[in-house]
Amino acid sequence: MLNVAQALDIILSSVAIVPRELLSLSDAHRRILADAVIASEDIPPFDNSAVDGYAVRFEDVSSPSVILNIVGEVGAGETTSPEVRTGEAVRIMTGGKVPAGANAVVPVEGTEPVDPTHVRVSRAISLGQNIRRAGEDIQKGERVLNAGLELRAAELGVLASLGRKSVEVYRRPRAAFLATGNELIDVDEPLQGGKIRNSNSYTLRALIEEAGAIPLDLGIARDDAAELRAKLLKGFDAEALITSGGVSVGRYDLVQEVLEGLGVEIKFWKVNMKPGMPFLFGMYHTTPVFGLPGNPVSTMVTFLQLVRPALRRMMGVSVSEKRIPIRAELAEDIEKTDGKRHFLRGVAETRNGILTVRTTETQSSGVLTSLVKANCLIVVPEDTDLLRSGDFVEIEFL
Ligand code: AMP
Ligand code: MG
């Protein structure tokens, strides 16, 4: 049986990046940058003041209590101001362009007014102090943002300061999802006769959105080959197809054979993990097809481990987007004997300054509230049988 890393390798090498589009900067939040951004100009574009104060020649104020002649004023966004000569100062606001001749700015707090045209400087300053140099943030020609980067608040701000009104990003792939099972009814139907409500469609929609893709709900299919076929066919228009349920070894687990019948090339079935072992992956031409086990926790865990990275890769996210490994001290013993990679629902918290983690107790893959209580998954590697309280384990925050 494949382990999780091998399964993920196969998935990631099977999927292709979606086409790009040009978007207005205001619409680009959380999109993935398609081209590296090279600065076309210096940021800031000119030397400017970091404080409200007086632009001076620092040599003039090396001794305490010097009185300078105020020869002008420069506000943010203004350029006209006289040159600062020996014995002179120009009143300057934060962001104001530093006038010629000045080589430091004394903050208002370091001065006292004498009269409307004179100021006493009571604090010595050094050369260049409180001046933000042109190009201090970004230099013209510098590569500022790499392709494959997600555009968040800071990146959008940088693009705006470089004058990019629009930006080339990757499209959001559409991910169609189908719940399967004779027992499933929709949220607004009354419970009766062995039925349960379909929760996976709601968790999957949220997971797909959170990954940055567009969810397309194909509804519920009964465990019936003809109905599965009809509903799955609609999903092949999307860039990815995700099913839940029907991939185990029960008599009514028909997803695999129906997919095969439709021409999906099954790449693998079963991954050495818990929860989520019966996970199925195939390709329909260029469309990846993910068959997730139906237990709600298995659905979520396999999505996070194996589907989300694929959607992110399809969206153009650079290879280097990896979770930073976080290790926490276990607050209990953990034992297993099945050689699988376990993803336990955990609660991490800081105790006495140390990140510690405990399980949410029940680990049944049917108990979805374990994922409500959890704030992380505890990763127990395949070859680890026993972990003691006090050992450090890898966790993945949810
Ligand atoms: P399966 O993978 O089809 O064998 O389903 C495993 C378990 O998950 C069964 O107890 C199903 O009733 C449950 N299950 C399957 N699909 C869903 C769903 N969409 N929402 C909630 N539970 C489900
Ligand atoms: Mg089923």
Side-chain angles (χ1 to χ4, degrees), residues 179-180 183-184 196-201 244-248 253 293-296:
T180 75
E183 72 279 30
L184 301 180
I196 60 163
R197 294 200 182 90
N198 164 23
S199 62
N200 286 344
S201 291
S244 87
V247 288
S248 231
D253 289 332
N295 270 310

Side-chain angles (χ1 to χ4, degrees), residues 126-373:
S126 54
L127 177 65
Q129 202 173 336
N130 299 319
I131 294 179
R132 301 189 286 216
R133 293 287 173 203
E136 174 181 296
D137 186 354
I138 297 169
Q139 280 183 2
K140 182 177 174 175
E142 183 186 329
R143 184 209 299 231
V144 194
L145 304 174
N146 286 322
L149 192 69
E150 181 170 354
L151 299 176
R152 308 296 292 255
E155 290 77 15
L156 291 166
V158 164
L159 287 168
S161 48
L162 287 169
R164 303 290 182 101
K165 197 171 161 50
S166 52
V167 60
E168 284 275 338
V169 295
Y170 291 106
R171 286 177 186 275
R172 295 173 67 196
R174 293 162 306 156
F177 57 99
L178 177 68
T180 75
N182 287 336
E183 72 279 30
L184 301 180
I185 57 172
D186 216 336
V187 276
D188 50 357
E189 293 180 55
L191 279 181
Q192 54 189 13
K195 306 289 186 195
I196 60 163
R197 294 200 182 90
N198 164 23
S199 62
N200 286 344
S201 291
Y202 294 86
T203 49
L204 281 172
R205 172 187 292 278
L207 288 164
I208 291 165
E209 271 177 359
E210 200 280 328
I214 300 172
L216 286 182
D217 191 352
L218 301 174
I220 301 172
R222 283 177 297 128
D223 297 312
D224 168 86
E227 187 173 336
L228 277 166
R229 211 171 288 128
K231 296 204 165 158
L232 286 168
L233 270 174
K234 292 189 192 153
F236 292 137
D237 288 344
E239 281 70 48
L241 174 57
I242 302 166
T243 63
S244 87
V247 288
S248 231
V249 291
R251 266 190 79 185
Y252 301 102
D253 289 332
L254 304 175
V255 170
Q256 176 153 209
E257 66 178 67
V258 169
L259 286 174
E260 275 174 322
L262 287 169
V264 172
E265 186 195 341
I266 305 297
K267 298 277 191 180
F268 63 80
W269 177 45
K270 290 188 178 173
V271 181
N272 193 28
M273 66 190 291
K274 188 179 178 182
M277 195 264 283
F279 181 91
L280 174 81
F281 175 67
M283 292 294 291
Y284 180 78
H285 304 288
T286 55
T287 306
V289 182
F290 305 92
L292 279 47
N295 270 310
V297 176
S298 311
T299 302
M300 273 191 72
V301 169
T302 52
F303 182 96
L304 291 171
Q305 297 303 319
L306 298 169
V307 184
R308 188 180 198 280
L311 293 176
R312 301 289 290 167
R313 174 67 60 84
M314 291 169 71
M315 291 168 65
V317 167
S318 67
V319 190
S320 61
E321 188 191 67
K322 286 232 174 79
R323 285 175 189 266
I324 300 165
I326 299 171
R327 298 182 77 76
E329 187 180 313
L330 258 181
E332 65 194 75
D333 294 352
I334 291 175
E335 253 189 277
K336 69 178 177 64
T337 51
D338 58 9
K340 289 181 179 152
R341 193 171 185 84
H342 283 212
F343 298 92
L344 305 172
R345 274 70 70 209
V347 181
E349 61 194 342
T350 308
R351 283 192 210 162
N352 302 323
I354 293 175
L355 188 64
T356 54
V357 68
R358 60 183 163 85
T359 66
T360 56
E361 292 171 5
T362 173
Q363 295 293 321
S364 158
S365 54
V367 176
L368 191 53
T369 51
S370 66
L371 273 165
V372 175
K373 291 179 188 139

